[in-house]
Amino acid sequence: MAKKTVRKNKPNPLWGGHYASGPAGIMAEINCSVDIDRRLYAHDIKASKAHAAMLAAKNIISKKDGQDIQRGLDKILQEIEGGKFKFSRALEDVHMNIESRLKDVIGDAAGRLHTARSRNDQVATDLRLWLRDAINGIDAALKNLQKALLDQAGKHSGTLMPGFTHLQPAQPITFGHHLLAYVEMIGRDRGRFQDAKKRVNEMPLGAAALAGTSFPIDRNMTSKALGFDRPMANSIDAVSARDFALEFLAAATIAGMHLSRFAEEVVIWASPAFGFIKLSDAFTTGSSIMPQKRNPDAAELVRAKTGRLLGAFTTLLVVMKGLPLAYGKDMQEDKEQVFDATDTLHLMVAATAGMVRDMKADTGAMEKALATGFITATDLADWLVRAANVPFRDAHHITGKIVRIAESRKCGLDKLNLQDMKKIDARITKDVFSVLRPENAVKSRTSLGGTAPALVKEAVKAAKKKFL
């Protein structure tokens, strides 16, 4: 029987001193992360340059080695950004790829860069740097969406439409007021990201593997050079914490939920049954079989992609929930979730801003919808309280009886005969008809945060000052 040839895999050159052979093929496959974490290249190089500068300043490495490392890292950055760098899956991750190339460029001095650090604090630092920039980018995108909403709200500060609860006609409002609700939601989303950024912006570098280092490093120097607020106080926490990523993903999920709610309303408003808005060819698609269709697919996809954000948050939460301190390779899964959620949220925000700018309000359809659902019933009850000194609970009961008459006669409250209303309550006078018109009802909502057109105009101005 022929003897089987056993191929010996070569050990990884950066950690292979303890290993006589390399990993099995499937081990190499599951262990490799460079296809994902290569996005950290600029931040890895930035952190390495700051670390090398600190090592040289503290005489932990020579000035010449420090200068060579800086020069080599600059060259590698140019190679990557110029598309000339060859990432190798055999080198596991972005960190080893850069370090290996650095040795090719400057020789043995490259081996001094990893003094007083570990991949544990290195990757945690890189991800925080990347996430800090990602939060800035998301904030700019959300601000742009707010601007689009504010532009539409300003145009429609006096455009009347039904307001809904339980998706049933409730009270008349203005379209501008409705859009301003999303401006406020997105403002809170921006606040959540900025609040999360405070906890992102603490530096793990210098924690090394988990216990710190015996070299006389200056973590404050490195932290300042990288724009962090401070070094992290505990070396174990520095390498094992991923709550900063979870907080980001939670904020992204909440923002996605807000976008999904708006998208759902776009789908409803654009349907012929409502017809409140129209979207152009730019943000709709046709049907492969039904030539008349205009589908709000951009909105539907925004609605769907919220699931990916929640999935990313749930995935990382489950990864982290049972891990003992300090670092575990499980944490390698953090970057795929953070990167995908960031890309997904950017796409959702951009598509939503595009739809907002594209949509045209059909004021006629909105006005027509005001005639359904006895939408000024609350105004009738309020009138009874004000004009006839009726306790609100009694006024509610009286109004309900009047609505029942209108239902039986299939007409609006403003079309009822005064005598019919007086049969329910003799205190009702002809003045009641002034509050039964939707435009008057809307104008009367002058409490702080209300829908009165004058307030909406002021709210648009205030929001622009606050958010833009």
Side-chain angles (χ1 to χ4, degrees):
M1 190 174 186
K3 203 173 183 181
K4 286 186 179 179
T5 302
V6 178
R7 182 175 65 86
K8 290 189 176 181
N9 298 323
K10 293 181 179 180
N12 189 301
L14 295 182
W15 51 258
H18 181 64
Y19 285 74
S21 64
I26 193 62
M27 176 58 193
E29 186 66 25
I30 196 172
N31 194 47
C32 177
S33 64
V34 71
D35 295 337
I36 302 296
D37 62 28
R38 63 195 295 172
R39 291 176 65 161
L40 295 173
Y41 75 87
H43 301 87
D44 189 71
I45 289 171
K46 181 177 182 178
S48 290
K49 290 183 69 175
H51 183 66
M54 180 275 296
L55 292 176
K58 299 297 292 181
N59 295 316
I60 297 170
I61 64 174
S62 70
K63 295 292 188 290
K64 183 181 184 308
D65 284 345
Q67 290 169 357
D68 287 345
I69 289 169
Q70 299 288 343
R71 173 177 56 80
L73 290 172
D74 285 339
K75 178 178 174 57
I76 293 169
L77 181 62
Q78 290 176 355
E79 289 176 350
I80 296 174
E81 293 185 339
K84 298 177 181 178
F85 190 93
K86 298 274 194 285
F87 283 98
S88 169
R89 300 186 89 246
L91 293 172
E92 291 186 21
D93 57 32
V94 65
H95 322 292
M96 283 187 160
N97 269 268
I98 289 173
E99 187 172 333
S100 177
R101 176 59 182 151
L102 186 63
K103 185 174 182 180
D104 294 339
V105 174
I106 67 170
D108 290 342
R112 301 191 184 280
L113 173 59
H114 211 54
T115 306
R117 77 173 184 186
S118 161
R119 274 193 299 177
N120 295 355
D121 61 339
Q122 184 180 1
V123 67
T125 301
D126 292 355
L127 184 57
R128 285 174 181 266
L129 288 170
W130 189 94
L131 202 44
R132 189 174 68 188
D133 288 347
I135 288 173
N136 291 340
I138 288 170
D139 183 73
L142 290 172
K143 181 178 178 180
N144 179 56
L145 174 54
Q146 284 181 303
K147 185 179 186 307
L149 287 164
L150 284 166
D151 288 345
Q152 286 280 20
K155 292 176 187 175
H156 294 286
S157 60
T159 300
L160 270 56
M161 68 175 288
F164 297 88
T165 62
H166 308 276
L167 207 55
Q168 302 295 314
Q171 291 180 304
I173 59 171
T174 70
F175 188 41
H177 189 60
H178 193 109
L179 295 176
L180 284 174
Y182 287 101
V183 173
E184 292 296 324
M185 292 180 205
I186 294 163
R188 293 193 295 276
D189 291 327
R190 291 177 66 189
R192 266 182 284 274
F193 281 116
Q194 291 305 315
D195 196 46
K197 186 178 171 183
K198 295 174 186 176
R199 282 170 287 283
V200 169
N201 205 35
E202 296 183 344
M203 189 192 73
L205 201 58
L210 80 159
T213 179
S214 59
F215 291 96
I217 62 173
D218 186 343
R219 295 186 69 212
N220 286 306
M221 176 184 172
T222 315
S223 177
K224 185 177 180 180
L226 292 173
F228 285 106
D229 292 332
R230 65 192 66 83
M232 294 185 73
N234 182 281
S235 61
I236 299 175
D237 179 49
V239 298
S240 61
R242 290 299 183 272
D243 54 343
F244 69 93
L246 282 167
E247 189 172 1
F248 168 81
L249 292 172
T253 302
I254 294 170
M257 176 270 294
H258 287 151
L259 297 176
S260 183
R261 294 187 73 179
F262 180 76
E264 170 69 2
E265 295 205 297
V266 168
V267 171
I268 292 169
W269 292 342
S271 68
F274 278 72
F276 287 180
I277 64 167
K278 287 182 171 62
L279 293 170
S280 75
D281 295 355
F283 287 92
T284 57
T285 65
S287 166
S288 63
I289 187 172
M290 296 169 285
Q292 83 282 9
K293 295 296 292 299
R294 184 182 291 277
N295 301 320
D297 283 5
E300 292 172 4
L301 288 166
V302 167
R303 188 174 59 185
K305 287 182 182 296
T306 304
R308 289 179 68 161
L309 301 176
L310 177 58
F313 172 71
T314 304
T315 297
L316 185 56
L317 190 65
V318 172
V319 166
M320 296 300 299
K321 73 171 184 62
L323 296 187
L325 299 180
Y327 181 81
K329 198 61 179 280
D330 317 52
M331 295 182 196
Q332 182 169 289
E333 293 296 306
D334 59 357
K335 287 169 285 299
E336 188 167 7
Q337 312 313 317
V338 168
F339 294 161
D340 185 70
T342 302
D343 293 345
T344 299
L345 185 57
H346 267 294
L347 185 58
M348 292 169 69
V349 175
T352 304
M355 284 187 291
V356 170
R357 290 192 169 94
D358 182 72
M359 68 185 184
K360 300 289 186 294
D362 188 331
T363 57
M366 290 180 179
E367 185 177 348
K368 184 179 178 181
L370 290 168
T372 62
F374 313 105
I375 204 160
T376 55
T378 305
D379 298 275
L380 172 54
D382 288 346
W383 182 89
L384 284 164
V385 172
R386 284 194 310 270
N389 198 29
V390 179
F392 181 78
R393 285 299 169 203
D394 293 342
H396 187 286
H397 189 68
I398 293 165
T399 301
K401 289 183 177 180
I402 294 172
V403 168
R404 194 160 57 197
I405 294 173
E407 282 179 330
S408 68
R409 296 188 180 174
K410 294 182 171 53
C411 69
L413 294 174
D414 59 333
K415 303 301 181 186
L416 281 175
N417 186 290
L418 177 59
Q419 293 308 314
D420 289 333
M421 287 193 272
K422 277 184 167 295
K423 288 177 183 178
I424 302 298
D425 195 288
R427 291 168 290 188
I428 298 175
T429 70
K430 65 180 181 180
D431 292 341
V432 74
F433 289 100
S434 64
V435 303
L436 298 181
R437 288 192 290 271
E439 62 270 24
N440 290 344
V442 168
K443 286 179 184 177
S444 72
R445 296 290 189 266
T446 56
S447 59
L448 180 64
T451 191
L455 289 185
V456 174
K457 287 179 182 178
E458 291 302 316
V460 169
K461 290 179 184 177
K464 285 181 177 179
K465 186 176 181 180
K466 179 180 180 181
F467 295 120
L468 305 184

